[in-house]
Amino acid sequence: MSLEPLGPSGGHSDPRNGIDPDWTDKNWGGSVVDGPVDVMKQVREHKRRGADLIKIMPSGGVLSIGDDPKAQLMTNEEIKAAIDTAHSLGMKVAAHAHGKQAIDNAVKLGVDSIEHGTYADAESYKLMIEHGTYLVPTLLVADQVNETARLHPEQLNPSSAKKALEVTPLMKGMFAGAYKAGVKIAFGTDTSDGVNAHEFALMVGAGMSAEDAILTATHNAADLLGVSADAGSIQPGRYADLVAVKGDPLKDITLMERVDWVMKGGVVYKRAGVSVPQPAVPATTGGSSDDF
């Protein structure tokens, strides 16, 4: 679990972008970092608050107001401070990065994954393979945002709509190039509950095999998260978090969007497409804050 993504003032994660400076919110402080010392402090604070993953925003973004997706907005020193501090605390680091400079520098500095990766090129792929960095391509959010920008631009800030039309069409080609080059790819959508499984069809449509697409959400995701000893494959002693569909998803990957059966921790939660009622959780008694 990550908390607020960390980025610089005016960057993709600054919630104050486009807002009257007289408006403020006490919860806005945790995402804006300026300088390596500030970065280290916030990473440690996120760890204290329960995070086991740090997300950083070294490049501009699409839906944020006014910043440039191609630009590297965190300095190398800030990126390195985030990665080194997080790794020292046993946390992985994911980097939102569209621009090539931010992608390449974050990879060289040891980031665990690149989210989006729009302007990555052959040199970027080579670096990612060399450093073992995962790509999380998020084709679904690109597809959704592009559709909104084309059909309902009034729903977006004009700056965001313009960027969406420029950036999102490039992501499918980037993904195809990374896959062909042999970059490690993990599943991620950056979008809403209930539609995430459509990412499988988008990856297959961009040239990935159905088998490899399924592996992005199982073996590869577990490896990226550092839980592959307990999850990501069907073996004795694993968590027994399983899903099943009617048919062969290697022949029709869209079956992954219609899950028929769900088991979590060895308990069946869905059968024949219908949720299975679970026993009520008994109330606890006599507990105290010293229990742990």
Side-chain angles (χ1 to χ4, degrees):
M1 178 191 74
S2 67
L3 299 174
E4 305 91 349
L6 303 180
S9 293
H12 182 54
S13 61
D14 189 341
R16 304 165 300 183
N17 287 347
I19 301 296
D20 188 312
D22 289 335
W23 294 359
T24 186
D25 187 302
K26 65 180 181 179
N27 298 313
W28 283 356
S31 63
V32 179
V33 289
D34 294 304
V37 174
D38 200 15
V39 171
M40 289 187 287
K41 179 179 179 180
Q42 282 300 331
V43 170
R44 291 166 179 159
E45 175 68 8
H46 280 212
K47 175 70 172 181
R48 184 191 67 78
R49 290 168 56 199
D52 55 17
L53 171 72
I54 295 295
K55 184 172 183 180
I56 60 174
M57 304 295 212
S59 87
V62 174
L63 293 180
S64 46
I65 299 173
D67 55 336
D68 182 357
K70 293 182 181 179
Q72 178 174 324
L73 302 182
M74 292 181 75
T75 67
N76 284 355
E77 291 75 19
E78 289 169 334
I79 296 170
K80 179 175 172 56
I83 294 169
D84 289 353
T85 306
H87 285 176
S88 73
L89 295 171
M91 295 189 289
K92 298 291 187 81
V93 181
H96 154 102
H98 286 284
K100 172 179 166 55
Q101 182 182 10
I103 292 167
D104 291 358
N105 284 332
V107 170
K108 290 175 185 177
L109 292 167
V111 79
D112 297 288
S113 67
I114 296 292
E115 322 297 302
H116 313 309
T118 305
Y119 292 98
D121 60 12
E123 181 183 17
S124 309
Y125 307 149
K126 183 177 179 181
L127 285 169
M128 295 177 78
I129 293 168
E130 178 184 341
H131 290 268
T133 312
Y134 270 95
L135 170 67
V136 181
T138 66
L139 299 182
L140 181 55
V141 72
D143 189 65
Q144 292 177 334
V145 171
N146 182 264
E147 181 177 6
T148 301
R150 287 187 297 106
L151 302 180
H152 301 286
E154 73 282 358
Q155 295 181 9
L156 300 172
N157 177 274
S159 163
S160 300
K162 180 177 184 293
K163 288 188 288 183
L165 293 174
E166 294 174 356
V167 172
T168 54
L170 303 176
M171 295 177 70
K172 182 177 178 180
M174 174 280 303
F175 166 78
Y179 176 58
K180 291 176 182 176
V183 173
K184 296 193 296 184
I185 296 172
F187 191 95
T189 69
D190 203 17
T191 187
S192 309
D193 293 342
V195 296
N196 289 308
H198 189 54
E199 183 85 8
F200 288 114
L202 293 174
M203 290 192 288
V204 170
M208 177 176 268
S209 72
E211 180 178 8
D212 283 345
I214 293 172
L215 285 171
T216 67
T218 53
H219 172 275
N220 295 6
D223 182 52
L224 171 58
L225 294 173
V227 296
S228 57
D230 300 303
S233 61
I234 300 174
Q235 296 184 48
R238 299 298 172 101
Y239 286 139
D241 295 345
L242 306 169
V243 301
V245 298
K246 287 184 176 180
D248 184 354
L250 299 183
K251 295 179 180 178
D252 179 6
I253 195 63
T254 66
L255 289 171
M256 298 300 294
E257 300 176 43
R258 300 183 293 278
V259 173
D260 190 67
W261 183 89
V262 176
M263 172 183 281
K264 181 174 175 60
V267 178
V268 175
Y269 283 83
K270 186 176 185 180
R271 181 182 288 113
V274 178
S275 296
V276 176
Q278 300 298 314
V281 177
T284 59
T285 58
S288 77
S289 60
D290 297 325
D291 285 349
F292 292 97

